[in-house]
Amino acid sequence: MNGLFITFEGTECSGKSTQISLLADRLRSMGRSVRMFREPGGTPIGEEIRHTLKHSAANHAMMSETELLLMNASRAQLVREVIRPALAAGEIVLCDRFHDSTIAYQGYGRQLNLKLVQQILDFAVGSTRPDLTLLLLVPHEVSEDRRLARQSTMPFMRDRIEEADRSFFELVAKGYHAIADADPQRVRPIDGTGEVNDIRATIWKLVEPFLAEKKAGQLT
Ligand code: TMP
């Protein structure tokens, strides 16, 4: 595979979506071919699974094990239907969440057995792994303030996962720190409380060396 695979991670409202769009715009302005996806979702099947996981009126009783399997069903589809073909074509793939979210949310947050979680996601993704992961970190209070501000500007849409309590999100944050500590070459923690443009510049510094190295997404 000669493309470049970059994932964005973080807790709720950490600014991932804004930064992905900014990075995609910059790469495209340089003539690079970029694909953007989100998880869960990113394919027609994955988007249906996303609705079931987050918004469906019938999802109240969902078990953590079911949540784990649905996240990875969506991911297995995304990897095979779009990510692998895009990387094989030499494109740059930017993904809003990927396998680290499962370790952080289902492994640490829901406290499922980490070995089993790892096995299931290994089955879902195989050898398709990100070259670089940008981890946006914001304290829980900032995340909550942003979430409430967002809610006040949009029509209300129930989100089962966001309904979890503070202790769940503290475990998720702990999970992300553990992931970053275990793989410091790939996973780059970034302070998500700064100015949008400063974060954008930090991200660019981390991405640029990969572009020189790989020439990924270069349109000829
Ligand atoms: P988001 O697209 O707004 O970030 O919503 C996705 C939600 O799904 C978010 O609460 C994190 C959660 N999630 C998991 O719990 N496990 C996963 O593997 C993924 C990809 C997301």
Coordinates of all heavy atoms in Angstrom, one line a residue, residues 4-66:
L4 N -1.4 7.0 2.4 CA -1.1 7.5 3.8 C -2.4 7.5 4.6 O -3.4 8.0 4.2 CB -0.5 8.9 3.7 CG -0.2 9.6 5.0 CD1 0.9 8.9 5.8 CD2 0.3 11.0 4.8
F5 N -2.3 6.8 5.8 CA -3.5 6.7 6.6 C -3.3 7.4 7.9 O -2.4 7.1 8.7 CB -3.7 5.2 6.8 CG -5.0 4.8 7.6 CD1 -6.1 5.7 7.7 CD2 -5.1 3.5 8.1 CE1 -7.2 5.3 8.4 CE2 -6.2 3.1 8.8 CZ -7.3 4.0 8.9
I6 N -4.1 8.4 8.1 CA -4.1 9.3 9.3 C -5.4 9.2 10.1 O -6.4 9.4 9.5 CB -3.7 10.7 9.0 CG1 -2.4 10.8 8.2 CG2 -3.7 11.6 10.3 CD1 -2.1 12.2 7.8
T7 N -5.3 8.9 11.4 CA -6.6 8.9 12.2 C -6.5 10.0 13.2 O -5.5 10.5 13.6 CB -6.8 7.5 12.9 OG1 -5.6 7.3 13.7 CG2 -6.9 6.4 11.9
F8 N -7.8 10.5 13.5 CA -7.9 11.5 14.6 C -8.7 10.8 15.7 O -9.7 10.2 15.5 CB -8.8 12.7 14.0 CG -8.0 13.6 13.2 CD1 -7.6 13.2 11.9 CD2 -7.6 14.9 13.6 CE1 -6.8 14.0 11.1 CE2 -6.9 15.7 12.8 CZ -6.5 15.3 11.5
E9 N -8.2 11.1 16.9 CA -8.9 10.5 18.1 C -9.1 11.6 19.2 O -8.4 12.6 19.1 CB -8.0 9.4 18.7 CG -7.9 8.1 17.8 CD -9.1 7.2 17.8 OE1 -10.0 7.5 18.6 OE2 -9.2 6.3 17.0
G10 N -9.9 11.2 20.2 CA -10.1 12.1 21.3 C -11.5 11.9 21.9 O -12.3 11.2 21.3
T11 N -11.7 12.5 23.1 CA -13.0 12.3 23.7 C -14.0 13.2 23.0 O -13.7 13.9 22.0 CB -13.0 12.7 25.2 OG1 -12.3 13.9 25.4 CG2 -12.2 11.6 26.0
E12 N -15.3 13.3 23.5 CA -16.3 14.1 22.9 C -15.9 15.5 22.7 O -15.3 16.1 23.6 CB -17.6 14.0 23.7 CG -18.0 12.6 24.2 CD -18.2 11.6 23.2 OE1 -19.0 11.8 22.3 OE2 -17.5 10.6 23.2
C13 N -16.3 16.1 21.6 CA -16.1 17.6 21.4 C -14.6 18.0 21.6 O -14.4 19.1 22.1 CB -17.0 18.4 22.2 SG -18.7 18.1 21.9
S14 N -13.7 17.2 21.1 CA -12.3 17.6 21.3 C -11.8 18.4 20.1 O -10.6 18.8 20.1 CB -11.4 16.3 21.4 OG -11.7 15.4 20.4
G15 N -12.7 18.6 19.1 CA -12.3 19.5 17.9 C -11.8 18.6 16.7 O -11.2 19.2 15.8
K16 N -12.0 17.3 16.8 CA -11.5 16.5 15.7 C -12.0 16.9 14.3 O -11.3 17.0 13.3 CB -11.9 15.0 15.9 CG -11.2 14.3 17.0 CD -11.7 12.9 17.2 CE -13.0 12.8 17.8 NZ -14.2 12.6 17.0
S17 N -13.3 17.0 14.3 CA -14.0 17.3 13.0 C -13.5 18.5 12.3 O -13.2 18.6 11.1 CB -15.5 17.3 13.1 OG -15.9 16.3 13.9
T18 N -13.3 19.6 13.1 CA -12.8 20.9 12.6 C -11.4 20.7 12.0 O -11.1 21.1 10.9 CB -12.7 21.9 13.7 OG1 -14.0 22.0 14.3 CG2 -12.3 23.3 13.2
Q19 N -10.6 20.0 12.8 CA -9.2 19.8 12.4 C -9.0 18.9 11.1 O -8.2 19.1 10.3 CB -8.3 19.4 13.5 CG -8.2 20.4 14.6 CD -7.5 21.7 14.2 OE1 -6.7 21.7 13.2 NE2 -7.8 22.8 14.8
I20 N -9.9 17.9 11.0 CA -9.8 17.0 9.9 C -10.2 17.8 8.6 O -9.5 17.7 7.6 CB -10.8 15.9 10.0 CG1 -10.3 14.9 11.1 CG2 -11.0 15.1 8.7 CD1 -11.1 13.6 11.2
S21 N -11.2 18.7 8.7 CA -11.6 19.4 7.5 C -10.5 20.4 7.1 O -10.2 20.6 6.0 CB -12.8 20.3 7.8 OG -13.9 19.4 8.1
L22 N -9.9 21.0 8.1 CA -8.8 22.0 7.8 C -7.6 21.3 7.2 O -7.0 21.8 6.2 CB -8.3 22.7 9.1 CG -9.3 23.7 9.7 CD1 -8.9 24.1 11.1 CD2 -9.5 24.9 8.8
L23 N -7.3 20.1 7.7 CA -6.2 19.4 7.1 C -6.5 18.9 5.7 O -5.7 19.0 4.8 CB -5.8 18.1 8.0 CG -4.7 17.3 7.5 CD1 -3.4 18.1 7.4 CD2 -4.5 16.1 8.4
A24 N -7.7 18.4 5.5 CA -8.1 18.0 4.2 C -8.0 19.1 3.2 O -7.5 19.0 2.1 CB -9.5 17.4 4.2
D25 N -8.5 20.3 3.6 CA -8.5 21.5 2.7 C -7.1 21.8 2.3 O -6.8 22.1 1.1 CB -9.1 22.7 3.4 CG -10.6 22.6 3.6 OD1 -11.2 21.7 3.0 OD2 -11.2 23.4 4.3
R26 N -6.2 21.8 3.3 CA -4.8 22.1 3.0 C -4.1 21.1 2.0 O -3.4 21.5 1.1 CB -4.0 22.2 4.3 CG -2.6 22.7 4.1 CD -2.0 23.3 5.3 NE -0.7 24.0 5.0 CZ 0.0 24.6 5.9 NH1 -0.5 24.7 7.2 NH2 1.1 25.1 5.6
L27 N -4.4 19.9 2.3 CA -3.8 18.8 1.4 C -4.3 18.9 0.0 O -3.6 18.8 -1.0 CB -4.1 17.4 2.0 CG -3.4 17.1 3.3 CD1 -4.0 15.9 4.0 CD2 -1.9 16.9 3.1
R28 N -5.6 19.2 -0.1 CA -6.3 19.3 -1.4 C -5.7 20.5 -2.2 O -5.5 20.5 -3.4 CB -7.8 19.3 -1.3 CG -8.4 18.0 -1.0 CD -9.9 18.0 -0.9 NE -10.4 16.6 -0.6 CZ -11.3 16.4 0.3 NH1 -11.9 17.3 1.0 NH2 -11.7 15.1 0.6
S29 N -5.5 21.6 -1.4 CA -5.0 22.8 -2.1 C -3.6 22.6 -2.6 O -3.1 23.3 -3.5 CB -5.0 24.0 -1.1 OG -3.9 23.8 -0.1
M30 N -2.9 21.6 -2.1 CA -1.6 21.2 -2.6 C -1.7 20.2 -3.7 O -0.7 19.7 -4.2 CB -0.7 20.6 -1.5 CG -0.4 21.5 -0.4 SD 0.2 20.4 1.0 CE 1.7 19.7 0.3
G31 N -2.9 19.9 -4.1 CA -3.1 18.9 -5.2 C -3.1 17.5 -4.8 O -3.0 16.6 -5.7
R32 N -3.2 17.2 -3.5 CA -3.2 15.8 -3.0 C -4.7 15.3 -3.1 O -5.6 16.0 -2.8 CB -2.7 15.7 -1.6 CG -1.3 16.3 -1.4 CD -0.3 15.2 -1.8 NE 1.1 15.7 -1.6 CZ 2.1 15.0 -1.1 NH1 1.9 13.8 -0.8 NH2 3.3 15.6 -1.0
S33 N -4.8 14.0 -3.3 CA -6.1 13.3 -3.3 C -6.4 12.8 -1.9 O -5.7 12.0 -1.4 CB -6.0 12.2 -4.3 OG -7.2 11.5 -4.3
V34 N -7.5 13.3 -1.3 CA -7.8 13.0 0.1 C -9.2 12.4 0.2 O -10.1 12.9 -0.4 CB -7.7 14.3 0.9 CG1 -8.1 14.0 2.4 CG2 -6.4 15.0 0.8
R35 N -9.3 11.4 1.0 CA -10.6 10.8 1.4 C -10.8 10.9 2.9 O -9.9 10.7 3.7 CB -10.7 9.3 1.0 CG -10.3 9.0 -0.4 CD -11.4 9.3 -1.4 NE -12.7 8.8 -1.1 CZ -13.0 7.5 -1.5 NH1 -12.2 6.7 -2.1 NH2 -14.2 7.1 -1.2
M36 N -12.1 11.3 3.2 CA -12.4 11.5 4.7 C -13.5 10.6 5.1 O -14.5 10.5 4.4 CB -12.9 13.0 4.9 CG -11.8 14.0 4.9 SD -12.5 15.6 4.7 CE -13.4 15.9 6.2
F37 N -13.3 9.9 6.2 CA -14.4 9.0 6.7 C -14.5 9.2 8.2 O -13.7 9.8 8.9 CB -14.0 7.5 6.5 CG -13.7 7.2 5.0 CD1 -12.4 7.0 4.6 CD2 -14.7 7.2 4.1 CE1 -12.1 6.7 3.3 CE2 -14.4 7.0 2.8 CZ -13.1 6.7 2.3
R38 N -15.7 8.7 8.7 CA -15.9 8.7 10.2 C -16.3 7.4 10.7 O -16.9 6.6 9.9 CB -17.0 9.8 10.5 CG -18.4 9.4 10.1 CD -19.4 10.3 10.6 NE -20.7 10.0 10.2 CZ -21.8 10.7 10.5 NH1 -21.7 11.8 11.2 NH2 -23.0 10.4 10.1
E39 N -16.0 7.2 11.9 CA -16.4 5.9 12.6 C -17.1 6.2 13.9 O -16.8 7.1 14.6 CB -15.1 5.1 13.0 CG -14.5 4.3 11.9 CD -13.9 3.0 12.4 OE1 -13.4 3.1 13.6 OE2 -13.9 2.0 11.8
P40 N -18.2 5.4 14.2 CA -18.7 4.4 13.3 C -19.4 5.0 12.2 O -19.9 6.2 12.3 CB -19.7 3.6 14.2 CG -20.1 4.6 15.3 CD -18.9 5.4 15.5
G41 N -19.4 4.4 11.0 CA -20.0 4.9 9.8 C -19.1 4.9 8.6 O -18.3 4.0 8.5
G42 N -19.3 5.8 7.7 CA -18.4 5.9 6.6 C -18.7 5.1 5.3 O -18.2 5.3 4.3
T43 N -19.7 4.2 5.5 CA -20.2 3.4 4.4 C -21.7 3.4 4.6 O -22.2 3.6 5.7 CB -19.7 2.0 4.4 OG1 -20.2 1.3 5.5 CG2 -18.2 1.9 4.3
P44 N -22.5 3.0 3.6 CA -24.0 3.0 3.8 C -24.3 2.0 5.0 O -25.1 2.3 5.8 CB -24.5 2.5 2.5 CG -23.5 3.0 1.5 CD -22.2 2.9 2.2
I45 N -23.6 0.8 5.0 CA -23.9 -0.1 6.1 C -23.4 0.5 7.4 O -24.1 0.4 8.4 CB -23.2 -1.5 5.8 CG1 -23.9 -2.2 4.6 CG2 -23.1 -2.4 7.0 CD1 -23.1 -3.4 4.1
G46 N -22.3 1.0 7.4 CA -21.7 1.6 8.6 C -22.6 2.8 9.2 O -22.7 2.9 10.4
E47 N -23.2 3.6 8.3 CA -24.1 4.7 8.8 C -25.3 4.1 9.4 O -25.8 4.7 10.4 CB -24.4 5.6 7.6 CG -23.2 6.5 7.2 CD -22.6 7.4 8.2 OE1 -23.4 8.0 9.0 OE2 -21.4 7.5 8.3
E48 N -25.8 3.0 8.9 CA -27.0 2.4 9.6 C -26.6 1.9 11.0 O -27.3 2.0 11.9 CB -27.5 1.2 8.7 CG -28.3 1.7 7.5 CD -29.1 0.6 6.8 OE1 -29.2 -0.5 7.4 OE2 -29.6 0.9 5.7
I49 N -25.4 1.3 11.0 CA -24.9 0.8 12.4 C -24.7 2.0 13.3 O -25.1 1.9 14.5 CB -23.6 0.0 12.2 CG1 -23.9 -1.3 11.4 CG2 -23.0 -0.4 13.5 CD1 -22.6 -2.1 11.0
R50 N -24.2 3.1 12.8 CA -24.0 4.3 13.6 C -25.3 4.7 14.2 O -25.4 5.1 15.4 CB -23.4 5.4 12.7 CG -23.2 6.7 13.5 CD -22.6 7.8 12.5 NE -22.5 9.0 13.2 CZ -21.4 9.4 13.8 NH1 -20.3 8.7 13.8 NH2 -21.3 10.6 14.4
H51 N -26.4 4.7 13.4 CA -27.7 5.2 13.9 C -28.1 4.2 15.0 O -28.6 4.7 16.1 CB -28.7 5.2 12.7 CG -30.1 5.5 13.2 ND1 -30.4 6.9 13.5 CD2 -31.2 4.8 13.5 CE1 -31.7 6.9 14.0 NE2 -32.1 5.7 14.0
T52 N -28.0 2.9 14.8 CA -28.3 2.0 15.9 C -27.5 2.2 17.2 O -28.1 2.3 18.3 CB -28.1 0.5 15.4 OG1 -28.8 0.4 14.2 CG2 -28.5 -0.5 16.4
L53 N -26.3 2.5 17.0 CA -25.4 2.7 18.2 C -25.7 4.0 18.9 O -25.7 4.0 20.2 CB -23.9 2.7 17.7 CG -23.3 1.4 17.5 CD1 -22.0 1.5 16.7 CD2 -22.9 0.8 18.9
K54 N -26.0 5.0 18.2 CA -26.1 6.3 18.8 C -27.5 6.8 19.0 O -27.9 7.2 20.1 CB -25.3 7.4 18.0 CG -23.8 7.3 18.2 CD -23.1 8.1 17.2 CE -23.3 9.6 17.3 NZ -22.2 10.3 18.1
H55 N -28.3 6.8 18.0 CA -29.5 7.6 18.0 C -30.8 6.8 18.0 O -31.9 7.3 18.3 CB -29.6 8.5 16.8 CG -28.4 9.4 16.7 ND1 -27.9 10.2 17.7 CD2 -27.5 9.5 15.7 CE1 -26.8 10.8 17.3 NE2 -26.5 10.4 16.1
S56 N -30.8 5.5 17.6 CA -32.1 4.7 17.5 C -32.9 4.8 18.8 O -32.3 4.6 19.9 CB -31.7 3.3 17.2 OG -32.7 2.4 17.7
A57 N -34.2 4.9 18.7 CA -35.1 5.0 19.9 C -35.1 3.6 20.6 O -35.4 3.5 21.8 CB -36.5 5.3 19.4
A58 N -34.6 2.6 19.9 CA -34.7 1.2 20.5 C -33.3 0.8 21.1 O -33.1 -0.4 21.4 CB -35.1 0.2 19.4
N59 N -32.4 1.7 21.3 CA -31.0 1.2 21.6 C -30.7 1.3 23.2 O -29.6 1.0 23.6 CB -29.9 2.0 20.8 CG -29.8 3.4 21.2 OD1 -30.4 3.9 22.2 ND2 -29.0 4.2 20.4
H60 N -31.7 1.7 24.0 CA -31.5 1.9 25.4 C -30.8 0.7 26.1 O -30.0 0.9 27.0 CB -32.8 2.2 26.1 CG -33.3 3.6 25.9 ND1 -32.8 4.7 26.6 CD2 -34.1 4.1 25.0 CE1 -33.3 5.8 26.2 NE2 -34.2 5.4 25.2
A61 N -31.3 -0.5 25.7 CA -30.8 -1.7 26.4 C -29.6 -2.3 25.9 O -29.2 -3.4 26.2 CB -32.0 -2.7 26.4
M62 N -28.8 -1.6 25.0 CA -27.7 -2.2 24.4 C -26.6 -2.6 25.4 O -26.2 -1.8 26.2 CB -27.1 -1.2 23.3 CG -26.0 -1.9 22.5 SD -25.3 -0.9 21.2 CE -26.7 -0.6 20.2
M63 N -26.1 -3.8 25.3 CA -25.1 -4.3 26.1 C -23.7 -3.9 25.6 O -23.5 -3.6 24.4 CB -25.1 -5.9 26.1 CG -26.4 -6.4 26.6 SD -26.6 -6.0 28.4 CE -28.4 -6.4 28.6
S64 N -22.7 -3.8 26.5 CA -21.4 -3.3 26.1 C -20.8 -4.3 25.0 O -20.1 -3.8 24.1 CB -20.5 -3.3 27.3 OG -21.0 -2.4 28.3
E65 N -21.1 -5.6 25.2 CA -20.5 -6.5 24.2 C -21.1 -6.3 22.8 O -20.5 -6.4 21.8 CB -20.9 -8.0 24.6 CG -20.1 -8.5 25.9 CD -20.7 -8.0 27.2 OE1 -21.7 -7.2 27.2 OE2 -20.1 -8.4 28.2
T66 N -22.4 -6.0 22.8 CA -23.1 -5.7 21.5 C -22.5 -4.4 20.9 O -22.2 -4.3 19.7 CB -24.6 -5.4 21.8 OG1 -25.1 -6.5 22.6 CG2 -25.4 -5.3 20.5

